[in-house]
């Protein structure tokens, strides 16, 4: 026999399995941020909220600087909310939850208007653009109950706000369970309401090679997202104890 040949070749080799198609990812836009948006963990794989999907809750990279917190957040299926990371996850068919208003919303926290929620969305369009470019569905999400999580003090000077914008973490003081500074949140009931995927039009395929089409779709979908967030708040606030609260979008 020839060297290197198989003396018993298999006449009926098993066909190679077909590669599984990439699942359509979902980009969940969650509001509000409040002190810490730990409601982002609704997208944790452990909760299996998104059946048959891998999911990640994306948070400021500053949350991963401390070794202990980094391990806790990673174990809860969280990841840094960086552009390259978001693009990679969506390309892999992994759903993501983000808080579009980000740390900017912390600057609007005030004790003088305890029944008003301010969210920073009017200029936040980047997450819509990435979702459209990567073929992801977009769902508005609203979390009720964050207000009882922490006591806080937020600086209002321009320097602190600029530091917070650069770092992704506003320099502030907050106290959680048992009055522990920067500790875990107080025990409270948290309800996360998820809206229907937004309609992006009859042609869901977008490219940066057609900037006019992309820009128009981003603007239209962004407006639908804001309306979706408002609707979630208004439709559910009465049954969740927020009947006399107001929502302001800036």
């Amino acid at each position: 026999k020839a060297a290197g040949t198989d003396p018993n070749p298999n006449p009926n080799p098993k066909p190679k399995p077909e590669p599984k198609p990439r699942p359509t990812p979902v980009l969940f836009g969650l509001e509000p941020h409040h002190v810490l948006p730990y409601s982002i963990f609704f997208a944790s794989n452990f909760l299996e909220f998104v059946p048959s999907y891998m999911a990640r809750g994306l948070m400021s990279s500053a949350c991963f600087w401390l070794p202990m917190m980094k391990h806790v957040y990673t174990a809860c299926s969280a990841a840094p909310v960086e552009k390259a990371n978001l693009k990679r996850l969506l390309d892999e068919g992994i759903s993501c939850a983000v808080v579009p208003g980000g740390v900017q919303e912390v600057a609007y926290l005030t004790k003088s208007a305890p029944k008003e929620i301010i969210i920073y969305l009017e200029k936040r369009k980047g997450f819509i653009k990435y979702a459209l470019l990567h073929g992801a569905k977009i769902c508005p999400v609203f979390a009720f109950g964050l207000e009882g999580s922490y006591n806080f003090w937020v600086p209002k000077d321009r320097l602190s706000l600029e530091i917070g914008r650069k770092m992704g973490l506003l320099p502030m003081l907050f106290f959680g369970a048992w009055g522990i500074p920067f500790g875990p949140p107080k025990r409270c009931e948290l309800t996360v309401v998820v809206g229907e995927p937004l309609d992006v039009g009859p042609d869901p395929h977008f490219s940066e090679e057609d900037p006019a089409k992309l820009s128009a779709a981003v603007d239209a979908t962004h407006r639908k997202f804001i309306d979706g967030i408002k609707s979630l708040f208004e439709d559910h606030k009465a049954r969740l104890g927020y009947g006399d609260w107001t929502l302001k979008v800036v």
Side-chain angles (χ1 to χ4, degrees), residues 35 80 207 217 238 243:
V35 174
S207 169

PDB file of all heavy atoms in Angstrom, residues 35 80 207 217 238 243:
ATOM      1  N   VAL A  35     -28.015  57.146  39.901  1.00  0.00           N
ATOM      2  CA  VAL A  35     -26.665  57.133  40.470  1.00  0.00           C
ATOM      3  C   VAL A  35     -25.819  56.050  39.801  1.00  0.00           C
ATOM      4  O   VAL A  35     -24.751  56.310  39.258  1.00  0.00           O
ATOM      5  CB  VAL A  35     -26.715  56.920  41.996  1.00  0.00           C
ATOM      6  CG1 VAL A  35     -25.296  56.771  42.557  1.00  0.00           C
ATOM      7  CG2 VAL A  35     -27.416  58.093  42.675  1.00  0.00           C
ATOM      8  N   PRO A  80     -17.440  46.661  29.054  1.00  0.00           N
ATOM      9  CA  PRO A  80     -17.255  48.108  28.880  1.00  0.00           C
ATOM     10  C   PRO A  80     -18.027  48.637  27.677  1.00  0.00           C
ATOM     11  O   PRO A  80     -18.055  48.004  26.620  1.00  0.00           O
ATOM     12  CB  PRO A  80     -15.736  48.250  28.666  1.00  0.00           C
ATOM     13  CG  PRO A  80     -15.146  47.021  29.248  1.00  0.00           C
ATOM     14  CD  PRO A  80     -16.155  45.935  29.012  1.00  0.00           C
ATOM     15  N   SER A 207     -25.888  51.669   5.270  1.00  0.00           N
ATOM     16  CA  SER A 207     -24.445  51.684   5.079  1.00  0.00           C
ATOM     17  C   SER A 207     -23.947  53.115   5.154  1.00  0.00           C
ATOM     18  O   SER A 207     -24.671  54.064   4.797  1.00  0.00           O
ATOM     19  CB  SER A 207     -24.072  51.062   3.735  1.00  0.00           C
ATOM     20  OG  SER A 207     -22.711  51.288   3.427  1.00  0.00           O
ATOM     21  N   ALA A 217     -32.560  57.937   8.558  1.00  0.00           N
ATOM     22  CA  ALA A 217     -33.049  56.815   9.354  1.00  0.00           C
ATOM     23  C   ALA A 217     -32.687  56.988  10.822  1.00  0.00           C
ATOM     24  O   ALA A 217     -33.483  56.664  11.714  1.00  0.00           O
ATOM     25  CB  ALA A 217     -32.485  55.506   8.816  1.00  0.00           C
ATOM     26  N   ALA A 238     -48.584  54.656  36.731  1.00  0.00           N
ATOM     27  CA  ALA A 238     -49.655  54.612  37.735  1.00  0.00           C
ATOM     28  C   ALA A 238     -49.618  53.310  38.528  1.00  0.00           C
ATOM     29  O   ALA A 238     -49.665  53.313  39.766  1.00  0.00           O
ATOM     30  CB  ALA A 238     -51.016  54.796  37.067  1.00  0.00           C
ATOM     31  N   GLY A 243     -47.615  57.658  39.846  1.00  0.00           N
ATOM     32  CA  GLY A 243     -48.742  58.366  39.254  1.00  0.00           C
ATOM     33  C   GLY A 243     -48.583  59.859  39.187  1.00  0.00           C
ATOM     34  O   GLY A 243     -49.029  60.492  38.223  1.00  0.00           O
TER      35      GLY A 243
END
